[in-house]
């Protein structure tokens, strides 16, 4: 498609809620680049992320900026092929593109995700190819890296060169030193974008995937002792991932329910309105089927299975819509004590970023990721065995009450939310504040009086040279001493501690 295909009159007639927010350079200054901003916020004009773009526009008046609210226009873009082509023509005519998006549950918002799908469905990637791109997100830095990696991967798949990546915290623009940092970023990234040389790609290309699992059948169901199973899938009947989900269900002998996201009534995606903040009531209420899944079916389940097929570098936008709507529980873990299994169709081992999102989500959710099964072996017998193994593991872990300790993703993520809810986000997230207080999630170190006393004493003692020498001479054994004490007590005949 050439730039000539773009007709402004036609574009406007499609009644998109795009806003042509052009900030032109003052007279006498040379406009060096026309920069197209693809906005990913469900809040459109009220997007906080766009304020960062506008700051750059103010600081670099030699460039012109044009904003398109892609996420809020997604239904139009879906319905109206001409509107999407018009957008692609704008991309092709631009000198550079800024992907400007908020973080939504470790990724971009579902409607922005849908945009990436649409471009590929309609084969419009060529318009993006060879363009310099900047990635600009705003967030509380909770899994911002996985969202940025997703967009980088997609843009690089389309042949774009990433000239700059900026992860702004929500309130950065209010701080002088952060404004200086963003300005520096803009100077470096725009210079790079204008240089005519595209940076090399940093993500590996996506492998193609065409396998669909067909179960072999048979096998005695695993005795679960009356546990309840919930399976959520975006796999339509007849698909490989649906077959994996159904196989899991067949091999489980307890009560089970399968929720098909293709038919679950979902009126729309999360609107970012934060009405949920005060008392965890989502604006959609009971008007569609999402609340019942999270509030009733998930709460009642002992074992939860998420069964998704990889679509581009994540699951489908349909699945993401459901995942974003999880935010009715805001920053509160909603799967505490549950065993969680992922069934995945597609080459998960090539998607380390997606794997990180899965683990991070579950560690935050408070459940225990008991098993991950993929169809990567392309062998129905092997997959059957793996699904059976996952059922057994989930049941066994539940019966043993076993939950693996959280890793960095869960531990660090919890600290970010703890600090945000204690501080800047306490309003409007007062529901979270109540929950964090009630569940002991405000585990700041300042209340640990024993440790504080010990630290104060030791800091004073090491000022004495002989004590200092003694401690430093045997630091290693000091560190294992408490653990050795536990082992010694366990070796006592009574095994007491
Ligand atoms: C439903 C929802 C999910 C969110 N998920 C994340 C997240 O995973 N990580 C994060 O750091 N911030 C997350 N945020 C915070 C937003 O990314 C942040 O407020 C952003 O600045 C909003 O930008 P916008 O006004 O342009 O939409 C989330 C906010 C909402 C409402």
């Amino acid at each position: 498609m050439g730039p000539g295909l773009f007709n402004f009159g036609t574009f406007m007639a499609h009644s998109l809620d795009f806003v042509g927010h052009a900030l032109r350079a003052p007279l006498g200054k040379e406009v060096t680049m026309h920069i197209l901003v693809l906005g990913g916020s469900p809040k459109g004009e009220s997007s906080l992320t766009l304020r960062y773009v506008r700051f750059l526009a103010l600081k670099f008046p030699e460039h012109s900026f044009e904003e398109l609210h892609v996420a809020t226009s997604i239904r139009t873009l879906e319905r109206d092929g001409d509107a999407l082509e018009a957008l692609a023509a704008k991309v092709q005519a631009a000198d550079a593109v800024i992907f400007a998006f908020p973080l939504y549950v470790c990724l971009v918002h579902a409607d922005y995700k849908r945009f990436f799908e649409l471009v590929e469905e309609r084969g419009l990637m060529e318009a993006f190819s060879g363009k310099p791109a900047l990635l600009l997100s705003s967030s509380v830095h909770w899994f911002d890296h996985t969202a940025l990696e997703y967009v980088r991967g997609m843009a690089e798949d389309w042949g774009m060169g990433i000239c700059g990546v900026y992860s702004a915290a929500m309130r950065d623009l209010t701080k002088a030193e952060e404004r200086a940092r963003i300005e520096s970023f803009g100077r470096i990234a725009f210079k790079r974008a204008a240089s005519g040389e595209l940076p090399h790609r940093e993500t590996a290309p996506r492998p193609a995937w065409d396998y669909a699992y067909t179960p072999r059948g048979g096998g005695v169901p695993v005795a679960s002792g009356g546990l309840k199973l919930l399976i959520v899938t975006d796999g339509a009947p007849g698909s490989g991932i649906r077959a994996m989900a159904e196989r899991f269900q067949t091999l489980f002998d307890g009560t089970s329910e399968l929720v098909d996201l293709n038919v679950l009534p979902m009126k729309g995606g999360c609107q970012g309105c934060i009405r949920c903040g005060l008392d965890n009531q989502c604006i959609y209420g009971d008007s569609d089927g999402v609340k019942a899944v999270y509030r009733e079916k998930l709460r009642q389940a002992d074992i939860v299975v998420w069964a998704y097929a990889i679509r581009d570098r994540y699951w489908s936008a349909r699945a993401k819509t459901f995942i974003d709507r999880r935010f009715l529980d805001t920053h509160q873990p909603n799967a505490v004590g549950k065993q969680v299994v992922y069934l995945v169709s597609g080459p998960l081992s090539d998607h380390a970023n997606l794997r990180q999102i899965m683990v991070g989500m579950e560690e935050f959710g408070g459940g225990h990721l008991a098993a991950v099964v993929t169809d990567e072996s392309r062998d129905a017998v092997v997959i059957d065995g793996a699904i059976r193994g996952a059922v057994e593991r989930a049941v066994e872990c539940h019966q043993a009450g076993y939950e693996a300790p959280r890793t960095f993703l869960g531990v660090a993520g919890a600290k970010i939310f703890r600090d945000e809810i204690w501080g800047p986000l306490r309003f409007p997230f007062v529901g979270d504040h109540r929950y964090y207080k009630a569940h002991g999630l405000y585990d700041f170190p300042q209340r640990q009086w024993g440790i504080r006393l010990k630290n104060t004493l030791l800091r004073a003692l090491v000022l004495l040279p002989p004590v200092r020498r003694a401690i430093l001479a045997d630091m290693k054994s000091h560190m294992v001493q408490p653990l050795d004490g536990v082992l010694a007590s366990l070796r006592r005949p009574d095994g007491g501690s």
Side-chain angles (χ1 to χ4, degrees), residues 302-324:
D302 303 299
I303 297 172
V304 187
V305 173
W306 309 118
Y308 299 132
I310 295 176
R311 175 131 190 215
D312 56 58
R313 291 173 174 269
Y314 185 78
W315 322 127
S316 65
R318 181 82 183 165
K320 185 62 168 54
T321 303
F322 175 74
I323 291 168
D324 287 352

Side-chain angles (χ1 to χ4, degrees), residues 384-450:
D384 273 353
I387 293 174
R388 187 183 179 81
V391 179
E392 286 169 352
R393 200 146 53 252
V395 170
E396 189 182 6
C397 288
H398 189 278
Q399 285 167 351
Y402 177 69
E403 290 176 12
R406 288 185 296 173
T407 64
F408 170 80
L409 301 175
V411 174
K415 286 182 196 296
I416 289 179
F417 283 160
R418 178 195 69 185
D419 292 0
E420 286 287 334
I421 302 301
W422 175 261
L425 289 188
R426 187 177 309 184
F427 190 86
F429 292 105
V430 288
D432 289 342
H433 178 60
R434 274 195 301 272
Y435 183 96
Y436 279 39
K437 259 197 338 197
H439 291 82
L441 298 186
Y442 286 136
D443 55 351
F444 300 101
Q446 63 265 31
R447 280 179 194 269
Q448 296 169 356
W449 298 112

Side-chain angles (χ1 to χ4, degrees), residues 481-491 496-497:
Q481 225 168 35
L483 311 189
D484 281 344
V486 173
L487 292 177
S489 72
L490 291 174
R491 280 188 207 107
S497 50

Side-chain angles (χ1 to χ4, degrees), residues 184-337:
S184 286
F185 161 76
R187 186 163 298 110
I188 294 163
F190 290 145
K191 189 175 154 202
R192 207 169 175 202
S195 73
E197 271 182 43
L198 280 193
H200 292 300
R201 73 177 297 167
E202 290 184 13
T203 53
R206 274 181 263 161
W209 190 254
D210 58 359
Y211 175 79
Y213 158 80
T214 314
R216 288 292 147 96
V220 183
V222 176
S224 74
L227 297 182
K228 287 200 181 107
L229 165 69
L230 171 66
I231 301 178
V232 176
T233 182
D234 64 348
S239 65
I241 187 61
R242 179 62 168 263
M244 288 171 76
E246 288 170 352
R247 182 77 183 134
F248 193 104
Q249 193 173 22
T250 309
L251 288 172
F252 178 83
D253 86 342
T255 321
S256 67
E257 181 169 359
L258 187 147
V259 172
D260 178 349
L261 295 180
N262 298 293
V263 294
L264 180 78
M266 277 198 270
K267 279 200 166 163
C270 173
Q271 297 177 13
C273 63
I274 316 289
R275 298 257 184 107
C276 49
L278 295 181
D279 50 10
N280 294 104
Q281 297 303 320
C282 175
I283 190 168
Y284 289 103
D286 290 312
S287 67
D288 64 13
V290 176
K291 183 177 158 199
V293 178
Y294 283 118
R295 285 286 160 77
E296 291 159 34
K297 300 178 198 300
L298 178 61
R299 283 185 182 178
Q300 286 160 15
D302 303 299
I303 297 172
V304 187
V305 173
W306 309 118
Y308 299 132
I310 295 176
R311 175 131 190 215
D312 56 58
R313 291 173 174 269
Y314 185 78
W315 322 127
S316 65
R318 181 82 183 165
K320 185 62 168 54
T321 303
F322 175 74
I323 291 168
D324 287 352
R325 294 274 304 274
R326 183 224 165 277
F327 203 67
L328 84 172
D329 286 317
T330 49
H331 305 91
Q332 300 162 32
N334 67 352
V336 176

Side-chain angles (χ1 to χ4, degrees), residues 41-43 46-50 101-107 138-144 170 270 272 274 324 327:
S41 173
K43 295 189 270 171
S46 303
S47 163
L48 202 139
T49 320
L50 285 183
F101 54 90
L103 252 287
Y104 264 69
V105 196
C106 307
L107 205 85
S138 78
S139 70
V140 296
H141 291 312
W142 192 79
F143 289 86
D144 49 349
M170 288 173 69
C270 173
I274 316 289
D324 287 352
F327 203 67

